[in-house]
Amino acid sequence: MTRNDWTLTSTTADLRRPPLPTSPVTFDAQPQQLTIDLARTAIVVIDLQNDFCHPDGWLAGIGVDISGAQAPIAVLADFLPWLRSRDVPVVWVNWGNRPDQANLPPGVRHVYDPAAEGNGIGSTTGPSGSPVLQAGSWAAAIVDNLKVDARDIQVDKYRMSGFVDTPLDSILRNLRVDTLLFAGVNADQCVLNTLTDAANLGYDVVMLEDAVGTTSPSYCLDATVYNVRQCYGFTTTTTALRTQAN
């Protein structure tokens, strides 16, 4: 039985959903201590892909220092199996452009390509030889250090927000989750945009500070953390959540 289902017979339809067991956990967070129900929680992991994080990928190939983008990988490699053991859904939200780019407007195609030199998100000739962030390509694949479980859910996105022009909201509502943990890159760009839309849609949002990274200057991350705490939700660390849940 799924998280969101009816009980049907030939003569009756019971529209009550199956009860979800509660799994509360209280842990240190900012701006205050936080209690969530892991049974109603999912983690959204954003853009930990070769083109963003691999030395042979797109960003490194155009001269971007990717060390900040690589920082969350080891943290999540350790943390995600623990979440799965608690039956917390793992949702990967990654750039996955259509090969024909039919839904990519110019403002997206030319990100990181201000002079229109063909180096942007819409480039068909990335530094690795793989089209930049094209669905199904090596460039768009999740980095090898992070293993995708058969139970995980993958969603392609085409904007800074994972909610625009994607089924992400429908999937999360079908999972019957209220709280979203956020991880991935870039913290101040795609992670923040997706988190902001989630908060605007009514989800409770928690950014995992040690599981996000960015290639932007440090003040961008500082401002992001401040704004998440001030305007949208909470921040914590994987260590705080995991240690205090045990």
Side-chain angles (χ1 to χ4, degrees):
M1 181 175 291
T2 67
R3 286 172 169 243
N4 187 20
D5 209 350
W6 298 336
T7 302
L8 299 174
T9 71
S10 60
T11 58
T12 66
D14 186 342
L15 305 190
R16 293 173 297 175
R17 271 58 172 177
L20 296 178
T22 61
S23 182
V25 54
T26 300
F27 51 92
D28 293 334
Q30 294 290 338
Q32 64 224 89
Q33 188 181 74
L34 195 58
T35 299
I36 65 175
D37 185 355
L38 291 178
R40 301 298 297 266
T41 298
I43 186 170
V44 178
V45 186
I46 298 173
D47 288 356
L48 290 174
Q49 301 166 263
N50 287 324
D51 259 354
F52 292 122
C53 305
H54 195 284
D56 295 328
W58 167 53
L59 286 190
I62 61 174
V64 176
D65 178 1
I66 62 168
S67 58
Q70 294 176 319
I73 294 173
V75 174
L76 286 167
D78 182 59
F79 185 59
L80 293 180
W82 180 83
L83 284 180
R84 294 186 189 105
S85 74
R86 297 296 185 103
D87 294 323
V88 174
V90 176
V91 183
W92 302 88
V93 179
N94 296 317
W95 277 97
N97 294 334
R98 291 168 53 102
D100 62 9
Q101 299 184 17
N103 63 340
L104 285 189
V108 174
R109 291 199 306 271
H110 297 301
V111 171
Y112 284 93
D113 188 24
E117 296 174 341
N119 298 323
I121 283 177
S123 174
T124 57
T125 55
S128 67
S130 180
V132 172
L133 295 170
Q134 182 171 300
S137 69
W138 175 89
I142 296 167
V143 292
D144 285 343
N145 309 65
L146 293 172
K147 303 305 179 186
V148 179
D149 190 88
R151 297 166 292 176
D152 296 352
I153 298 169
Q154 298 191 55
V155 177
D156 287 337
K157 69 178 177 68
Y158 325 97
R159 302 288 191 275
M160 292 291 177
S161 171
F163 284 98
V164 176
D165 198 21
T166 79
L168 179 58
D169 187 42
S170 296
I171 289 169
L172 294 173
R173 295 192 188 283
N174 215 34
L175 290 172
R176 299 174 65 197
V177 298
D178 303 314
T179 301
L180 301 179
L181 309 175
F182 280 89
V185 297
N186 280 314
D188 54 317
Q189 297 171 18
C190 292
V191 176
L192 180 61
N193 273 269
T194 307
L195 180 150
T196 300
D197 279 351
N200 289 336
L201 288 166
Y203 294 98
D204 305 322
V205 298
V206 183
M207 177 179 280
L208 301 171
E209 291 184 61
D210 57 339
V212 297
T214 185
T215 58
S216 303
S218 59
Y219 60 79
C220 296
L221 183 57
D222 292 341
T224 297
V225 170
Y226 173 85
N227 280 323
V228 170
R229 295 173 181 173
Q230 180 75 9
C231 302
Y232 303 116
F234 307 87
T235 69
T236 189
T237 66
T238 62
T239 301
L241 198 164
R242 184 174 179 175
T243 301
Q244 294 170 331
N246 290 330

